[in-house]
Amino acid sequence: MMASHSDTLVVFFGATAGANGGKLGSDEREIILLVWQIVDLHEKKVGKIQQRLIKPDTIELTDQCKEETGLSVEELCKAEPLDTVLQQFQQAVSAEVKALGRSSYTLCVDGPLLIRQAIHPEASKKNLVLPECFYSFVDLKREFHKCCPNAEEAKMSFLSIIKQPLCLFPDHKFSLFETVKYKFESGACSKTEAVDSETVIRARGLPWQSSDQDIARFFKGLNIAKGGVALCLNTQGRRNGEALVRFINSEHRDMALERHKHHMGSRYIEVYKATGEEFLKIAGGTSNEVAQFLSKENQVIIRMRGLPFTATQQDVLGFLGPESPVTDGTEGLLFVKYPDGRPTGDAFVLFACEEYAQNALKKHKQILGKRYIELFRSTAAEVQQVLNRYMSTPLISTLPPPPMVPVSTRDCVRLRGLPYTAAIEDILEFMGEHTIDIKPHGVHMVLNQQGRPSGDAFIQMKSADRAFMVTQKCHKKMMKDRYVEVFQCSAEEMSFVLMGGTLNRSGLSPPPCKLPCLSPPTYAAFPAQTAMLSTEAAALYQPPLLATPRTPQPPTHSPAPTLTYYSPQPQLYMNMNMNYTAYYPRYYSIMTPAAPVLPQPGALVRMQGLPYSAGVKDILSFFQGYQVTIVNITTH
């Protein structure tokens, strides 16, 4: 029904139950009124003004709306819903245009807000199919200013358009047609591309499973640039509920800002200004492999996470099955790898249509090999971001000097991520030629409080240089079906972990203590004279850590070491006999971390509102970074 330069106009107007005028659509209120009039420019005739009331799902009018429209709640209760009124509009206009002997018309509005900020967003939320005319329209104010650039805007009211359209546009041919994109176009973005900061916003509070299409649906009516949705990832490579969105111009960006705290499902989304530099940091890339992978148009992208490191392309294709064929077979697969070629367990897959992608998503958390695989929707920007993250991550992560003990010789290594079934022979085989550099009784496997392997082990090497060589050669080397992380550390750090503290890439987190403290706990330097620093407690921090239990000695009057400690209570360490059982005559002993302090009143935390799919791992991840020790988790 649409054609450019048509002699038939449909002048269109509407109102919502809330703000109208320059703020129309900004408060997410529903449409309650549509008005239109047909204008025949060729015959210089105007049709009858048509008006339809619309019954919103929430029948509530603001005082401003009542004053501006003169409508009441009682009148709206008798009206038809939006989908019915849109059908009536389409049928009435088609019949009248046909009676004029025409086959097309031009939809004209007083500014873009009614179409972009009201009609499209509400239709998207209610899953309504809009007539085609709402995807191409003319802004009469813009056309008027083009014809009469010196005219005062106050004289250009919508009422004057309806009453005197022939006086305004007697022989005018419209050229400034505005369009609404039918679908968001995915695509790659180069880091060398220029991105105008006046076109970018940051959306915050998104559901973690949101795809670029979901975000485009939230901004329906506004035109997003090709490949202009970049989902943000946290340090673990998981989505953090934020996205950067790039629009085609600043006008659309400004309208997007008016959707601040509008809803996506039951969640409200915050919308803020962002910069082109921020967008490029997330979405920009330089990889030719990624550009080639994303060069296929109109593909649905699925991310696979948790793949076995030995998985091949044929394994993945077999896992997905014939009901979800991958675009161009193996060419539609992109394995994410470290710079040295080792797999990360992530992969991206292209599907030609939504049906194939949906079939693939049904395999979420199904088993491939010995691991369950996560599948979820992804975006071109996420593909680039994940590749950037892994390719820029150094292979060897070394710990900074610990803040609470003096810098000492880093002649130990920590193995993290060991298979729980790993035996002595597995660790020695993993070390390979470096076993000759291990100190006697220098391999220590850490058990958890239940006496089971924790997946961690410490190894004392003959020198710091030998420890460094082990991290270089063995970091992320495979043991059975898992890769093991290897970090260089000191004997003090090793001892610190056994006291119940934690050691990670970010440094040291202290062991639990019974002292009340504010969040976060702080480290304090105690003077040598304090009673808390008994030689008994200090000895627990001092290397080397032997394979036999320490026998507590009574305090002496010798000067206590002038070190900085995490504030302990004397009774906290009084009866902590570490049972280091000699398990292997030369290399091996088992270490059980110190028994935790019994929970004090107020240490029990209840969590409400968890997702139904949340497991223990999710809860532990939630508390990651806080200096707390979790003794038990009970789910209901």
Side-chain angles (χ1 to χ4, degrees), residues 368-387:
L368 174 59
K370 296 181 180 180
R371 307 187 65 174
Y372 73 84
I373 311 302
E374 296 177 288
L375 293 95
F376 43 89
R377 293 179 180 275
S378 188
T379 68
E382 185 176 32
V383 175
Q384 189 63 72
Q385 190 179 173
V386 171
L387 265 292

Side-chain angles (χ1 to χ4, degrees), residues 194-269:
V195 177
D196 184 359
S197 291
E198 297 300 313
T199 65
V200 182
I201 62 94
R202 179 183 295 273
R204 183 178 296 168
L206 299 164
W208 70 268
Q209 68 273 33
S210 299
S211 68
D212 52 358
Q213 297 294 342
D214 295 324
I215 296 169
R217 195 174 299 115
F218 175 80
F219 290 108
K220 186 66 177 176
L222 308 179
N223 292 343
I224 299 174
K226 183 175 181 179
V229 176
L231 297 171
C232 302
L233 307 180
N234 61 19
T235 54
Q236 286 76 42
R238 297 177 181 269
R239 298 174 186 174
N240 65 1
E242 296 187 9
L244 293 170
V245 185
R246 176 189 180 192
F247 294 90
I248 60 170
N249 57 39
S250 59
E251 180 185 2
H252 287 231
R253 192 284 304 267
D254 292 342
M255 285 188 278
L257 292 171
E258 293 294 331
R259 300 196 189 183
H260 179 59
K261 291 196 173 181
H262 284 203
H263 287 77
M264 179 184 288
S266 60
R267 302 175 63 119
Y268 71 83
I269 309 302

Side-chain angles (χ1 to χ4, degrees), residues 31 67 75-76 82 126 154 198 205 216 245 303 393 414 434 440 448 459 509 568 586 589 597 605:
I31 300 169
E67 182 180 348
E75 290 178 287
L76 295 181
L82 179 61
K126 296 181 177 180
E198 297 300 313
V245 185
R303 182 180 178 184
T393 301
R414 180 189 185 187
H434 301 286
N448 61 22
I459 301 175
S509 296
R586 176 171 173 80
S589 65
V597 180
V605 177

Side-chain angles (χ1 to χ4, degrees), residues 279-332:
F279 182 83
L280 286 175
K281 184 177 180 181
I282 299 299
T286 57
S287 170
N288 292 330
E289 183 183 14
V290 174
Q292 184 177 358
F293 177 76
L294 297 174
S295 63
K296 299 177 176 62
E297 297 291 335
N298 302 319
Q299 298 293 308
V300 183
I301 306 174
I302 297 295
R303 182 180 178 184
M304 302 181 71
R305 191 166 57 198
L307 291 168
F309 299 117
T310 56
T312 65
Q313 292 178 324
Q314 295 304 322
D315 292 334
V316 174
L317 294 177
F319 173 80
L320 296 171
E323 64 276 11
S324 47
V326 177
T327 300
D328 296 333
T330 56
E331 293 185 12

Side-chain angles (χ1 to χ4, degrees), residues 110-154:
D110 177 32
L113 297 183
L114 176 62
I115 301 295
R116 297 194 183 278
Q117 296 284 68
I119 295 285
H120 276 281
E122 186 172 339
S124 177
K125 290 177 182 177
K126 296 181 177 180
N127 294 316
L128 305 181
V129 178
L130 288 173
E132 188 178 351
C133 63
F134 291 112
Y135 288 88
S136 179
F137 61 92
V138 169
D139 181 350
L140 289 179
K141 279 190 176 179
R142 184 168 293 180
E143 286 284 344
F144 177 78
H145 286 299
K146 177 186 175 185
C147 298
C148 310
N150 299 321
E152 295 182 16
E153 187 171 344

Side-chain angles (χ1 to χ4, degrees), residues 43 51 86 107 109 127 164 175 218 227 255 275 290 319 324-325 341 367 370 378 381-382 462 515 543 560 586 628:
E43 299 294 335
Q51 174 177 304
L86 288 175
L107 188 71
V109 292
N127 294 316
Q164 301 175 356
S175 59
F218 175 80
M255 285 188 278
T275 66
V290 174
F319 173 80
S324 47
I367 301 297
K370 296 181 180 180
S378 188
E382 185 176 32
K462 292 181 178 178
L515 288 178
R586 176 171 173 80
V628 297

Side-chain angles (χ1 to χ4, degrees), residues 333-355:
L333 287 175
L334 178 65
F335 284 91
V336 182
K337 299 180 180 180
Y338 290 104
D340 61 356
R342 289 177 297 107
T344 64
D346 277 30
F348 293 93
V349 190
L350 297 179
F351 295 99
C353 64
E354 185 65 29
E355 179 185 356

Side-chain angles (χ1 to χ4, degrees), residues 147-196:
C147 298
C148 310
N150 299 321
E152 295 182 16
E153 187 171 344
K155 296 180 180 179
M156 178 57 182
S157 67
F158 190 74
L159 188 60
S160 67
I161 296 175
I162 290 183
K163 287 186 176 181
Q164 301 175 356
L166 299 179
C167 298
L168 292 170
F169 303 110
D171 300 308
H172 181 69
K173 296 297 182 181
F174 297 108
S175 59
L176 299 177
F177 278 82
E178 296 198 25
T179 60
V180 178
K181 288 187 177 181
Y182 287 90
K183 186 178 179 182
F184 168 70
E185 299 176 89
S186 62
C189 176
S190 171
K191 282 192 178 295
T192 60
E193 188 173 339
V195 177
D196 184 359

